[in-house]
Amino acid sequence: MAQIIGGYFTSHVPGIGGAIVRGDQDTPYWKPFFDGFPPIREWLAEAKPDVAVVFSNDHGLNFFLDKMPTFAVGAAATYDNADEGWGLPVYKSFTGHPALSWHLIDALVRDEFDITTCQQMLVDHAVSIPFELAWPGAESWPIKLIPIAINTVQYPLPSPKRCLALGRAVNRALQSWGGTERILVCGTGGLSHQLDGPRAGFMNPEYDMFCLDNLAADPEALTGHSAEQVAELAGTQGVEILNWIAARGALGDLPLTQISRNYHIPISNTAAASLLLEAA
C-alpha cells in the first residue's frame, strides 16, 4: 500500500527565488531563513518520497479574479512553470501522476467536495520555490507532483475548518490508493504578511507561533477562526496558512515527529517559516 511519510511546510515568497538566483543564501539578511533547510534536505534524501501532494495557492498563472475556484486539483501528466513577472527564471517542469490524481478527484467528489479538475495546469512560485529549497541544483525533480490549489485571494474564502476537512478527505483517498508510492504532503505559503493597503508590512509573530505550536498536535485549534478573522490576524496574504491547514489534514491521524522547525522575520515583508513533520 501507499505510505504517507511526512509533511513539508514552507513559505514561498518570490524573493526567495531571487535570493537563490543571486546566491544570497549566506548573506546576513537571508541566512537565518535558509538555515532551516539542511535538515529537511537530509531527511528527504534518506526518505526518498515518490510523489508530493502539494497544497498551495495560484497567483494568476491559472486563475484570476474573474474565475477563481475554491479548490482545484491537477490531473496532468506534466506541469510547466511560466514567467510570472518577478524576474525569476522559468523553473523546471514537473512530472505528474495522473492515475493517482484521478483517484483523488473521484474520491473527493464522492466525499462531496465540489472541486475544479485541471487536466492542464501551470505551477507558479508557490510550488517551484519550495522544490528549489528542498532539492537545490537538481537537474530534474526527483518526485512526481499532484498540485491542489486553494483560493486564498478572492472572497469568499474557504474556512480553516473546511480546508482541514479537505485535507482529511485527501488523506482518506490516499489511504485507499492501491499503489506502493511513498507520499510526501506539502503545504506552502505564509506565514503572516500583508503586501498592500493601510496595513502593508503587517506581520503577527504571536499568531504565527500559535500556528506552528498547534499544527501537528492540535490542528483543530487552527479552525477556531473564520477566514476573515485569519486575514485580520495574519494579514490578507497571511491567509495562505489555509494551505498548511489542508496539508496537515492530509497527514491524517498518524503520529507525527517534528524533525525541523525554523522561523524568521522578515523576508520581503513576510514572516517566513519551514517545518518538517515525519509520520510514523
Side-chain angles (χ1 to χ4, degrees):
M1 294 181 61
Q3 179 185 1
I4 299 172
I5 62 170
Y8 163 44
F9 305 81
T10 184
S11 304
H12 62 223
V13 184
I16 298 168
I20 293 171
V21 170
R22 295 188 303 272
D24 285 348
Q25 294 93 326
D26 290 324
T27 61
Y29 184 84
W30 286 101
K31 189 176 188 302
F33 171 73
F34 281 95
D35 280 351
F37 288 92
I40 294 173
R41 295 167 188 156
E42 292 169 10
W43 184 87
L44 289 169
E46 183 175 343
K48 293 182 172 60
D50 302 302
V51 182
V53 178
V54 180
F55 296 83
S56 64
N57 54 294
D58 181 75
H59 296 82
L61 283 186
N62 298 285
F63 316 117
F64 198 60
L65 302 184
D66 57 342
K67 299 179 184 67
M68 182 63 66
T70 302
F71 302 127
V73 181
T78 303
Y79 301 95
D80 294 328
N81 183 228
D83 182 11
E84 300 174 64
W86 295 107
L88 300 176
V90 173
Y91 293 103
K92 299 179 284 291
S93 296
F94 294 78
T95 299
H97 193 323
L100 181 50
S101 287
W102 281 110
H103 175 78
L104 289 180
I105 290 163
D106 289 342
L108 288 171
V109 172
R110 287 197 304 270
D111 230 340
E112 301 185 346
F113 282 90
D114 300 320
I115 58 171
T116 298
T117 300
C118 300
Q119 297 185 60
Q120 291 183 329
M121 195 175 190
L122 295 170
V123 293
D124 65 18
H125 69 270
V127 177
S128 296
I129 284 177
F131 272 64
E132 282 287 340
L133 289 166
W135 291 281
E139 292 186 6
S140 61
W141 303 123
I143 185 171
K144 294 181 178 179
L145 172 68
I146 298 176
I148 300 178
I150 296 176
N151 171 27
T152 68
V153 175
Q154 173 85 322
Y155 285 86
L157 302 175
S159 68
K161 181 178 180 180
R162 187 60 171 165
C163 290
L164 184 62
L166 171 73
R168 286 173 170 164
V170 168
N171 175 265
R172 290 191 292 273
L174 293 174
Q175 296 288 357
S176 68
W177 173 246
T180 59
E181 293 88 346
R182 293 170 61 79
I183 298 170
L184 178 71
V185 174
C186 303
T188 87
L191 292 178
S192 65
H193 62 299
Q194 181 154 329
L195 304 179
D196 52 6
R199 292 205 307 168
F202 172 82
M203 286 165 275
N204 187 347
E206 182 179 355
Y207 178 72
D208 295 337
M209 289 300 108
F210 166 78
C211 293
L212 289 168
D213 290 343
N214 287 286
L215 189 71
D218 186 16
E220 296 285 351
L222 278 66
T223 67
H225 301 110
S226 66
E228 291 78 11
Q229 288 171 323
V230 172
E232 180 68 25
L233 287 164
T236 50
Q237 283 76 41
V239 293
E240 291 172 348
I241 192 64
L242 295 176
N243 303 328
W244 289 46
I245 293 170
R248 171 61 185 87
L251 293 174
D253 296 325
L254 295 168
L256 299 172
T257 301
Q258 181 176 289
I259 302 299
S260 177
R261 169 174 162 174
N262 185 50
Y263 181 79
H264 177 60
I265 185 170
I267 59 169
S268 191
N269 290 322
T270 300
S274 60
L275 178 69
L276 177 63
L277 302 174
E278 183 178 61

